[in-house]
Amino acid sequence: MTDTALLPLAAGLESQLPALEALYRDLHRHPELAFQEHRTAAAVAAELRAQGWDTTEHVGRTGVVGVLRSGDGPVVLLRADMDGLPVREATGLPYASTHTGVDEDGEEVPVMHACGHDMHVTCLLGATGRLAANRDAWRGTVVAVFQPAEEGGEGAAAMAADGFLDRFPRPEVCLGQHVGPLPVGVAVTRPGPVMSASDSYRVRLFGRGGHGSSPEHAVDPVVLAAAVVMRLQTVVSREVGAAQSAVVTVGSIHAGTRQNIIPDEAELKVNIRTTDARVRAKVLAAVERIVRAEAAASGAPREPEITPLTSLPLTVNDAAATERAVAGLRSALGDAAVFPLPWPLAGSEDFGNFGTAFGVPSVFWHFGGADPAAFGEDGIAALMSGEMPPGLPVNHSPHYAPVPGPTIDRGVRALLGAAAQWIGTARQP
């Protein structure tokens, strides 16, 4: 694809790609946890200033905002997230992360860009570079948002609450994208709900400790935790209808220190994904009911503690804005590369908090970062039916990493193509 295939906005992108790939590898090698993205934010701010953007740091703690004006016209917000995950990288890449960080519980953990946020930052900086270099090709204002703490669902709200509309132009539309296990060059989205709501809880289960040889004198919270985990699997299979959607995952379980000591308590961390408000309320109530009922059935000496951790809203694409953005994606990637999602994805995002806070429409899409050879001739059809090629690493896997070069190129073009639907009219002399 040549630069002219995307209007003038992408002119010169090919010459920028080597530097962008070097940037991506550096970001991948140096991931940072939520609200700890100091190195990443500094690199972003330095690049924006070098490109000529008005740049503000420490927005919502570690966020960065760049503003670039090119005459009168619409205001478009483009967003990328910056935080990594507490995952030990196993890709074997020469630029793999060996970093560690301290999580919210004060524990030292390995850190990896297992969700592709390094790719998001790279693509947005590629787009900001082209917008700055080609200002005669567009009119309006672009607000580039580099957001912290997406993984916990706190970053977008923190930036919006940090006097955003008092400090920066109000956007007419918010645009964002996410790399994923799709073939490079492919993009998918849909109007309406596009990603699930997410609710996470810490559950403390209380028992009565004792000797492993005398369980009759104790109340074993490990057995109680196991019963809760297994019973929670029935929420979706027995309480959610076949035409509805929900996921319940126990992602963390901790109890005890030795094999011959029955501990006093166990801790679970539970995550719930839903795409409908009524289903959400039903599932959340079922989870609490099961936790409390199993504790009572086990003779627990205390009621369990159920503490909310994070809550991410349903990500909803505005219908009219999605139609425009899809037209831009098709102009950037080709008509045959943009597909409608048949249903909302089970993953979650806090991107929608920007549009909600500002009272403006938003559009979110996913673009491919995987080698197309992994998908075969019917790969796209299989993906649209919910199937994934066997062994293909997905987001949050210790083996996940996009193919850098072509993914960066297509990710930059996707952002520019969508943005061009609002700002792509050249200024008149």
Side-chain angles (χ1 to χ4, degrees), residues 66 110 153 242 257 282 382:
T257 57
K282 182 177 182 178

Side-chain angles (χ1 to χ4, degrees), residues 2-21:
T2 63
D3 285 337
T4 56
L6 185 59
L7 305 175
L9 291 187
L13 176 57
E14 282 87 351
S15 63
Q16 189 186 7
L17 289 174
L20 288 173
E21 185 165 344

Side-chain angles (χ1 to χ4, degrees), residues 21 43 205 219 233 238 251 254 299 320 346 359 374 389 426:
E21 185 165 344
L205 301 169
V219 175
Q233 308 312 303
R238 288 297 176 266
H254 293 279

Side-chain angles (χ1 to χ4, degrees), residues 368-380:
D371 185 347
F375 294 84
E377 293 183 1
D378 299 324
I380 292 297

Side-chain angles (χ1 to χ4, degrees), residues 88-272:
R88 189 180 305 280
E89 182 158 359
T91 62
L93 292 167
Y95 51 91
S97 168
T98 58
H99 274 225
T100 61
V102 178
D103 68 10
E104 66 272 15
D105 296 323
E107 300 291 332
E108 185 174 6
V109 294
V111 187
M112 175 192 174
H113 268 302
C115 202
H117 295 186
D118 48 348
M119 181 60 69
H120 303 167
V121 171
T122 302
C123 290
L124 182 49
L125 285 174
T128 59
R130 292 306 88 211
L131 290 166
N134 299 315
R135 288 172 79 165
D136 288 340
W138 59 279
R139 60 181 176 86
T141 299
V142 177
V143 180
V145 172
F146 294 83
Q147 178 205 310
E150 183 277 330
E151 293 293 352
E154 301 170 294
M159 293 190 79
D162 194 8
F164 195 98
L165 292 182
D166 296 327
R167 303 164 71 184
F168 311 110
R170 177 188 291 272
E172 294 185 21
V173 66
C174 299
L175 303 176
Q177 63 179 7
H178 203 299
V179 70
L182 301 164
V184 170
V186 166
V188 297
T189 192
R190 69 192 306 272
V194 67
M195 296 189 76
S196 301
S198 173
D199 296 277
S200 296
Y201 295 88
R202 175 186 284 111
V203 176
R204 291 180 67 194
L205 301 169
F206 300 101
R208 187 168 56 249
H211 200 289
S213 67
S214 306
E216 70 275 16
H217 300 307
V219 175
D220 194 337
V222 176
V223 175
L224 167 55
V228 170
V229 171
M230 295 307 296
R231 183 66 183 231
L232 287 178
Q233 308 312 303
T234 67
V235 174
V236 174
S237 65
R238 288 297 176 266
E239 300 192 42
V240 176
Q244 299 170 326
S245 175
V247 178
V248 177
T249 298
V250 179
S252 173
I253 179 168
H254 293 279
T257 57
R258 287 181 58 86
Q259 72 278 7
N260 63 345
I261 301 174
I262 295 173
D264 280 324
E265 64 180 78
E267 180 185 280
L268 309 178
K269 291 183 180 178
V270 186
N271 179 249
I272 299 102

